[in-house]
């Protein structure tokens, strides 16, 4: 019997976002275990001595191995890497998380920090890959506002 086609999750429509779900976690098991191994000094030394050889211990796909060797953090996440685990590779290379985030967003550390301090990236153009969530409709905005208004009036009555 053929497997059913997996249902697309809403979060898969968000551009630039790789949510680590169960499937991604299984796919990225080797890459995440490699990154976790870097918590031990002797493993960091062994990795730095011969990166390609060290990676053979972790049953990585060729694509995962390539992403690690190239330090392509976005590709590592796409291939099942967990951002908190892959940050250990960055730390092994002497980089801060701010450096990694700036690299992943294609900006300088200063520009990345300024963007985050200003509230993060703009939602304009970043709502969905499909375009179905690009602009909220007035009806959708009104629908969201009504439950909040009802909840507020109910809580006001309880206080009296």
């Amino acid at each position: 019997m053929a497997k059913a086609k997996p249902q697309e999750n809403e979060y898969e429509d968000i551009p630039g976002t790789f949510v680590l779900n169960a499937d991604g976690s299984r796919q990225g098991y080797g890459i995440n275990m490699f990154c976790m191994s870097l918590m031990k000094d002797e493993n960091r030394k062994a990795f730095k001595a011969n990166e390609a050889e060290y990676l053979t211990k972790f049953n990585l796909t060729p694509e995962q191995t390539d992403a690690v060797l190239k330090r392509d953090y976005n590709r590592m996440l796409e291939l099942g890497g967990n951002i908190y685990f892959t940050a250990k590779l960055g730390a092994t290379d002497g980089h801060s998380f701010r450096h990694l985030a700036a690299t992943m967003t294609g900006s300088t550390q200063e520009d990345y920090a300024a963007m985050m301090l200003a509230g993060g990236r703009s939602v304009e153009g970043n709502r969905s890959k499909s375009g179905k969530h690009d602009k909220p409709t007035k009806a959708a905005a009104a629908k969201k506002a009504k439950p909040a208004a009802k909840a507020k009036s109910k809580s006001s009555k309880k206080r009296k």
Side-chain angles (χ1 to χ4, degrees):
M1 176 180 267
K3 288 185 178 181
K5 182 181 174 197
Q7 184 178 3
E8 183 176 315
N9 294 303
E10 282 289 317
Y11 55 75
E12 291 174 3
D13 193 38
I14 303 169
T17 301
F18 305 108
V19 177
L20 188 65
N21 60 16
D23 290 334
S25 183
R26 283 187 287 278
Q27 177 188 9
Y29 181 80
I31 202 167
N32 292 320
M33 291 302 98
F34 151 68
C35 290
M36 289 298 291
S37 78
L38 298 175
M39 292 176 64
K40 294 184 178 178
D41 186 52
E42 65 267 21
N43 292 338
R44 289 189 298 272
K45 288 177 181 171
F47 173 65
K48 293 306 255 179
N50 189 333
E51 293 183 3
E53 182 181 318
Y54 186 82
L55 290 174
T56 62
K57 300 177 185 182
F58 295 95
N59 196 29
L60 303 179
T61 66
E63 293 84 8
Q64 289 170 329
T65 299
D66 187 56
V68 170
L69 294 174
K70 289 180 178 175
R71 303 307 196 265
D72 186 343
Y73 288 89
N74 286 327
R75 184 72 176 134
M76 285 186 255
L77 298 183
E78 188 178 5
L79 295 170
N82 176 302
I83 186 65
Y84 299 107
F85 294 169
T86 57
K88 294 177 186 337
L89 175 58
T92 297
D93 289 338
H95 298 301
S96 67
F97 193 83
R98 182 170 124 172
H99 170 88
L100 297 177
T103 300
M104 293 169 73
T105 58
S107 64
T108 66
Q109 289 186 58
E110 294 75 22
D111 288 345
Y112 176 78
M115 175 191 65
M116 295 308 291
L117 290 170
R121 71 179 180 170
S122 168
V123 296
E124 296 308 316
N126 291 310
R127 291 184 188 272
S128 73
K129 293 175 190 173
S130 67
K132 69 181 180 181
H133 299 293
D134 283 347
K135 291 184 181 176
T137 63
K138 288 182 182 179
K143 193 175 185 180
K144 279 187 174 181
K146 282 184 181 178
K150 285 181 184 178
K152 190 174 185 181
S153 65
K154 284 182 183 178
S155 64
S156 299
K157 288 177 185 176
K158 288 181 183 178
R159 282 190 233 141
K160 290 182 180 179

